[in-house]
Amino acid sequence: MKIEVIMSAYNNVRDLELVLDGYLNQLDNDFSLCIADDGSTHEVADLIQKYSQTNLTIRHIWHEDLGFRRAAILNKAIKSSTADHIIFTDSDCIPSPHFVADHRKFASTEHYTVGIRVYLKPYLSNCFRNGSLTPSRLFNGFWLLSQSLKERVSKPEQALRYPDFILPIINKLKPDLTIFGSNIAMSLDSLLKVNGLDEDFEGWGYEDTDLLWRLEQIGLTSQGSLGRCCQYHLDHKENAPNPHAFNLFKQKQEDGKIHCDNGINKKASD
């Protein structure tokens, strides 16, 4: 099975560098990486060129900066992908070494997978950015819990790598885990059946929620587990949400259209 990680990005070169280092150190390195670039300046392209000289199979999809158009650039990446299974993530989330391996284990045509993340607060995020700490520290559960006691991390329990035999018990105790994900994955075929993301969603918010709702309408169900498909989110200033996104999402639910018109393939004008 061919897996591709499609990562949305916009201008944050230092965070992207930390994240790409994480993909260099995956236990499962049989994957490709696509940077879906929402209009960054040349610094991102220069960084990708640097990493193309490593063992990463990496490509760069870019469009002009006309505001927050994440859905549109992700659709371009999906349309150009030759993978069987797609993992969506962002350029501010450092992957655990098990990240791709976990997603491969969960991969299914009947489910979409929702991974989880630990939130790094400003102090630790800046320590990783300035090099005073290396991201390898994140993969020590005891260290992570100690940082939580200092209020430098939130949700560290999500990163603890519980033994496989305990996971069914944990999943029963935390059945709502997949509501609070940070990365999602599904088959390319499933994405094509719903025509990818709906590009009517411009500005931050609800493009992922809409996609998952439409995938559920064609029969996919969510899956995920604590300690699996884990990432570490670097703190940053939040994007201003699109104030109309929620109402647009509710309207689309009421309309019940599963194959969106403004997706990977556009509906022809009348």
Side-chain angles (χ1 to χ4, degrees):
M1 180 178 58
K2 294 174 64 177
I3 290 178
E4 181 158 79
V5 177
I6 296 181
M7 181 193 305
S8 58
Y10 180 72
N11 276 335
N12 196 337
V13 173
R14 178 54 180 150
D15 284 7
L16 179 57
E17 186 174 29
L18 290 167
V19 171
L20 291 176
D21 284 343
Y23 285 103
L24 275 174
N25 292 292
Q26 291 295 296
L27 297 174
D28 180 341
N29 59 16
D30 184 17
F31 67 96
S32 59
L33 183 61
C34 176
I35 309 299
D37 187 344
D38 194 16
S40 299
T41 54
H42 70 87
E43 285 87 357
V44 167
D46 293 345
L47 183 67
I48 293 169
Q49 179 60 32
K50 170 187 169 184
Y51 278 85
S52 69
Q53 308 305 313
T54 68
N55 64 356
L56 281 177
T57 302
I58 187 169
R59 61 198 185 92
H60 184 203
I61 302 294
W62 181 92
H63 67 188
E64 185 181 0
D65 185 359
L66 297 176
F68 191 103
R69 296 187 295 145
R70 179 173 175 269
I73 194 62
L74 289 179
N75 277 343
K76 289 183 180 180
I78 295 165
K79 189 171 186 177
S80 62
S81 180
T82 60
D84 306 302
H85 201 74
I86 302 295
I87 305 170
F88 291 109
T89 183
D90 295 322
S91 61
D92 53 16
C93 293
I94 300 171
S96 79
H98 298 271
F99 182 73
V100 173
D102 286 344
H103 269 293
R104 187 182 297 278
K105 188 172 182 178
F106 277 115
S108 166
T109 57
E110 299 175 355
H111 307 283
Y112 63 85
T113 302
V114 181
I116 46 82
R117 64 182 168 192
V118 174
Y119 291 86
L120 306 178
K121 295 187 178 181
Y123 175 81
L124 276 188
S125 295
N126 291 331
C127 285
F128 293 123
R129 288 177 178 129
N130 66 30
S132 58
L133 286 175
T134 61
S136 61
R137 299 296 296 271
L138 294 168
F139 314 138
N140 181 320
F142 294 107
W143 182 84
L144 204 61
L145 290 172
S146 74
Q147 296 303 301
S148 178
L149 294 174
K150 298 176 182 179
E151 299 185 345
R152 296 173 176 174
V153 170
S154 63
K155 300 187 181 296
E157 73 282 356
Q158 300 208 110
L160 301 181
R161 197 158 182 86
Y162 308 93
D164 285 348
F165 70 88
I166 294 179
L167 292 182
I169 299 172
I170 293 174
N171 292 338
K172 286 183 180 180
L173 294 174
K174 296 270 297 181
D176 59 350
L177 171 69
T178 55
I179 298 173
F180 306 104
S182 73
N183 56 85
I184 54 176
M186 66 288 295
S187 69
L188 178 63
D189 183 61
S190 297
L191 285 166
L192 296 178
K193 284 180 180 177
V194 299
N195 203 22
L197 288 94
D198 191 332
E199 296 176 28
D200 287 351
F201 290 92
E202 293 188 354
W204 186 87
Y206 281 93
E207 67 273 12
D208 290 337
T209 304
D210 172 76
L211 171 63
L212 297 184
W213 178 78
R214 288 185 290 114
L215 289 172
E216 289 170 359
Q217 305 317 297
I218 64 169
L220 271 67
T221 55
S222 64
Q223 62 178 353
S225 180
L226 284 173
R228 301 296 187 268
C229 306
C230 179
Q231 296 178 313
Y232 304 84
H233 180 263
L234 293 159
D235 183 78
H236 59 83
K237 181 180 178 181
E238 293 187 357
N239 291 304
N242 177 352
H244 307 294
F246 175 74
N247 289 336
L248 178 61
F249 171 58
K250 297 306 292 184
Q251 183 61 55
K252 287 180 177 291
Q253 279 189 309
E254 291 177 12
D255 294 343
K257 184 162 287 189
I258 310 308
H259 187 280
C260 64
D261 293 335
N262 191 17
I264 294 172
N265 298 302
K266 307 295 187 282
K267 183 179 180 181
S269 300
D270 294 333

